[in-house]
Amino acid sequence: TMAEVAITPSPVAAAFRHIQWDPLSSLRLTPQETALLRMAETNPIEYTLGDARDATMYVRVLLKLLAEASFNVSGHVARISEECNENRALDALDADPLGVVTHYAIAKLHTILTTLSSPWAAENGVSVGNVFYAGVEGDLIEQWKSLLRVISKGKGDLYAQRSAALCLAQILLAACPSQRGSVSAPGSVKDVSARVPSYASAIEPLEALTAWAISQL
């Protein structure tokens, strides 16, 4: 399944744990958002995703990172194609911190989507549908557009574009009527399909993602 599709690690992954949020004022993070990012770093991903509301807050922050960082990347990280050792990754963090932040946010989103598609998620009542789709109507959270921005204006950053496209596809797949039967696993503790993702809210991003994919052929 798409949830099991692996992505090549970011070439600057070694720099992720060295990101300092406070100096990156252009990201416009609130103290609460910064605290959430730090908490997520110090706890297992399952802890952060254990409550669907907390999980939604976390993915909104990651998508905000993408939205703010993608406006100001210098392009240095985009030109790195081979995996960096820690020293080279730290040089990249110094030269293009927002490029590294872009990779960080996408990598975290991929980890979240993989975890939300696992047996653990079914057993604990969390899913792609109740994390990325909000409200009574189950509408796709508005921040999905930051993924599309990275996909369509990625400055030649293959990792960012391909991985963002895969993440967006996984998010949208949860709303497709053909997937409804696979949302809830037999024997799950909670009914993870209690909020059905709105397919109508996914049509615009599906069309945009399809148009981008066709343009790459």
Side-chain angles (χ1 to χ4, degrees):
T1 64
M2 183 171 289
E4 294 162 348
V5 175
I7 60 174
T8 304
S10 162
V12 293
F16 289 170
R17 64 191 182 92
H18 298 284
I19 295 173
Q20 299 292 317
W21 299 112
D22 292 333
L24 297 176
S25 57
S26 64
L27 295 174
R28 300 192 300 169
L29 293 172
T30 66
Q32 292 84 356
E33 289 167 340
T34 303
L36 183 55
L37 288 169
R38 288 178 176 145
M39 184 194 76
E41 279 299 307
T42 56
N43 292 304
I45 190 67
E46 290 84 1
Y47 178 86
T48 306
L49 301 181
D51 180 275
R53 189 174 299 178
D54 290 346
T56 300
M57 287 173 56
Y58 183 44
V59 300
R60 285 181 193 271
V61 174
L62 292 173
L63 290 167
K64 178 179 177 177
L65 288 182
L66 271 188
E68 300 294 343
S70 62
F71 277 118
N72 296 298
V73 292
S74 73
H76 177 82
V77 167
R79 294 190 290 272
I80 301 173
S81 57
E82 296 181 354
E83 183 179 353
C84 296
N85 60 28
E86 191 152 9
N87 285 339
R88 282 194 64 216
L90 287 172
D91 288 343
L93 179 60
D94 186 54
D96 185 12
L98 297 181
V100 174
V101 167
T102 297
H103 280 216
Y104 170 89
I106 293 169
K108 291 295 181 186
L109 286 166
H110 179 70
T111 299
I112 288 169
L113 287 161
T114 301
T115 306
L116 290 176
S117 303
S118 69
W120 171 86
E123 291 163 7
N124 287 274
V126 288
S127 68
V128 175
N130 61 20
V131 171
F132 287 87
Y133 295 78
V136 177
E137 301 298 323
D139 288 335
L140 178 63
I141 59 175
E142 188 71 17
Q143 291 87 346
W144 69 267
K145 292 178 181 176
S146 61
L147 282 167
L148 185 63
R149 178 183 301 280
V150 172
I151 294 165
S152 59
K153 300 178 181 177
K155 294 193 176 181
D157 189 331
L158 288 180
Y159 169 81
Q161 288 181 300
R162 291 172 179 174
S163 302
L166 180 61
C167 286
L168 185 55
Q170 287 180 258
I171 293 166
L172 299 178
L173 192 61
C176 292
S178 62
Q179 298 299 307
R180 297 270 165 83
S182 63
V183 172
S184 185
S188 60
V189 174
K190 303 173 188 173
D191 180 10
V192 297
S193 59
R195 180 197 297 150
V196 177
S198 164
Y199 179 60
S201 71
I203 291 175
E204 179 191 346
L206 274 168
E207 290 175 345
L209 182 60
T210 303
W212 174 80
I214 291 171
S215 76
Q216 301 301 300
L217 297 177

